[in-house]
Amino acid sequence: QSVLTQPPSVSAAPGQKVTISCSGSSSNIGNNYVSWYQQLPGTVPKLLIYENNKRPSGIPDRFSGSKSGTSATLGITGLQTGDEADYYCGTSDSSLSAGVFGGGTKLTVL
Amino acid sequence: EVQLVESGGGLVQPGGSLRLSCAASGFTFSSYWMTWVRQAPGKGLEWVANIKQDGSKKNYVDSVKGRFTISRDNAKNSLYLQMNSLSAEDTAMYHCVRAAYSDEGFDHWGQGTLVTVSS
């Protein structure tokens, strides 16, 4: 059971928008920055969003992040078949003195 | 170009030990917290341990406390993970990761080294 809770799967049609939620608590998301990662099949995770809503260079603005209270959300617009991947949220947990990840969400672009 | 190259994985019997290494290049290694993240086959990501720039602070996930030890050698640009008392639950790909952003924001990941614990 992961400390951060994500839906196991989401799906949407090409060109549409999808959101992926990440729920935590005051010891993690509530008081720390959230990052989001994309893991394409057979590859290592890639940073999409850091510090809640910032994009590393090279990440298109189709990807966005937000945080409210103890929850965070990843948004993807203009869905492409190449976006099919597993998506993970992550942050630090002050009570555990450790990093934590969500269980991952598999995105299917129908 | 930032590179993180892990080594040291392999097949080990339950109760055995392994020492993983990560060779870093392309950046000032001593300026970054470093982390080990693992991923069991077909499963999600699990944060394992991290270490401060000068090695003075280390943190571990509860499931490895007392069994795993993270360390670094800044003169050799290397990160290590000593793993003892291994069990089947430790079977996973182990990734060396650079924490460039606040609260474990990982910007570079090594390809990983596979640890398989089996008799």
Side-chain angles (χ1 to χ4, degrees), chain B residues 65-85:
Chain B
K65 282 180 182 175
R67 300 189 300 122
F68 289 13
T69 302
I70 189 172
S71 62
R72 65 191 297 163
D73 185 337
N74 287 340
K76 295 183 178 180
N77 291 333
S78 293
L79 178 71
Y80 306 101
L81 187 67
Q82 177 67 43
M83 305 187 296
N84 300 329
S85 303

Side-chain angles (χ1 to χ4, degrees), chain A residues 31-33 35 37 39 44-47 50-51 56 88 90-92 96-103, chain B residues 37 39 43-47 50 59-62 65 95 101-107 109-112:
Chain A
N31 285 285
N32 294 304
Y33 289 112
S35 299
Y37 305 89
Q39 187 173 29
V44 300
K46 175 183 179 181
L47 180 66
Y50 67 96
E51 294 176 3
Y88 296 90
T91 185
S92 295
L96 298 174
S97 294
V100 289
F101 289 103
Chain B
V37 173
Q39 187 168 29
K43 302 297 184 181
L45 303 175
E46 182 179 30
W47 185 98
N50 71 354
N59 298 295
Y60 300 91
V61 68
D62 282 349
K65 282 180 182 175
H95 297 278
Y101 303 110
S102 300
D103 300 321
E104 301 297 271
F106 305 125
D107 68 333
W109 296 63
Q111 290 298 311

Side-chain angles (χ1 to χ4, degrees), chain A residues 74-100:
Chain A
L74 173 70
I76 312 173
T77 60
L79 277 171
Q80 304 171 1
T81 55
D83 295 331
E84 287 201 334
D86 293 322
Y87 292 83
Y88 296 90
C89 58
T91 185
S92 295
D93 191 296
S94 306
S95 295
L96 298 174
S97 294
V100 289

